[in-house]
Amino acid sequence: MTETYPMTRRGYERLQEELGHLKNTERPNIVDAISRAREHGDLSENAEYHAAREKQGLIEARIRLLEQKIRCADVIDTASLSGKTVTFGATVIIRDEESGKEQRYKIVGEDEANVEKQEISIISPLARALLNKTVGDAVEVHTPRGSKEYEVIHVSFDSSS
């Protein structure tokens, strides 16, 4: 069974853009760099050549990974989602039971997570604990730093993804 990667439309488009950039810009550039480095003679002691080959390997590995994720993408149209239950694509406001501090998070795909934008990965401990919860539910989150308790204050879905 093939693993699927849930992601928003925006996340899917970002992966496609990165793949296009790697294939159409980075790959040709590194091929040119390798060709130029070969012209310097003895490859066994040619640091420029070895660095370019290493970079080529990293680029090719990233291309393969992106192609796999795009091929197995489960693009979820968050604009069509609604309800009061936390699912992929939900924006959730939670309150820390200890401090009373409220935090807002949007649950997104693994490659879309951005803590600065309060976007957390569906596979993060917090997101996993929040899934299928509704307003008023208590949530205990187990992290490497210990357990924290939160209350779900608000659940919404927006159409910006």
Side-chain angles (χ1 to χ4, degrees):
M1 186 168 149
T2 303
E3 181 179 3
T4 62
Y5 299 95
M7 62 184 72
T8 64
R9 168 70 46 202
R10 181 178 62 188
Y12 182 77
E13 290 168 357
R14 283 183 190 156
L15 290 183
Q16 287 185 312
E17 287 172 13
E18 182 183 355
L19 179 61
H21 175 74
L22 289 173
K23 284 182 161 184
N24 300 320
T25 303
E26 294 297 322
R27 184 185 268 168
N29 288 345
I30 200 66
V31 167
D32 288 344
I34 290 170
S35 178
R36 283 191 312 274
R38 277 191 178 133
E39 294 171 1
H40 295 290
D42 185 8
L43 298 181
S44 65
E45 295 182 16
N46 187 331
E48 185 179 337
Y49 172 79
H50 291 290
R53 289 299 307 249
E54 184 175 331
K55 184 174 180 181
Q56 181 184 38
L58 295 173
I59 289 170
E60 293 303 324
R62 182 67 180 163
I63 287 171
R64 285 190 303 276
L65 178 66
L66 290 173
E67 287 175 338
Q68 170 69 17
K69 288 189 175 198
I70 289 169
R71 188 172 39 257
C72 298
D74 180 11
V75 180
I76 298 170
D77 181 10
T78 58
S80 67
L81 299 176
S82 64
K84 298 298 177 189
T85 302
V86 179
T87 62
F88 180 90
T91 299
V92 184
I93 298 175
I94 56 174
R95 179 183 301 128
D96 184 316
E97 293 290 345
E98 188 176 312
S99 70
K101 182 180 174 189
E102 291 186 4
Q103 298 168 301
R104 176 196 162 278
Y105 295 104
K106 181 171 184 168
I107 300 175
V108 296
E110 187 177 353
D111 294 300
E112 303 172 81
N114 183 333
V115 176
E116 292 174 359
K117 294 182 179 181
Q118 292 82 39
E119 296 174 335
I120 59 173
S121 167
I122 185 87
I123 64 170
S124 70
L126 179 57
R128 288 186 311 204
L130 288 169
L131 288 176
N132 300 315
K133 302 295 189 237
T134 59
V135 172
D137 285 350
V139 177
E140 184 175 2
V141 180
H142 303 284
T143 68
R145 291 185 167 179
S147 294
K148 295 279 289 180
E149 291 191 17
Y150 299 96
E151 178 185 354
V152 178
I153 303 300
H154 182 77
V155 178
S156 63
F157 295 88
D158 60 41
S159 60
S160 64
S161 297

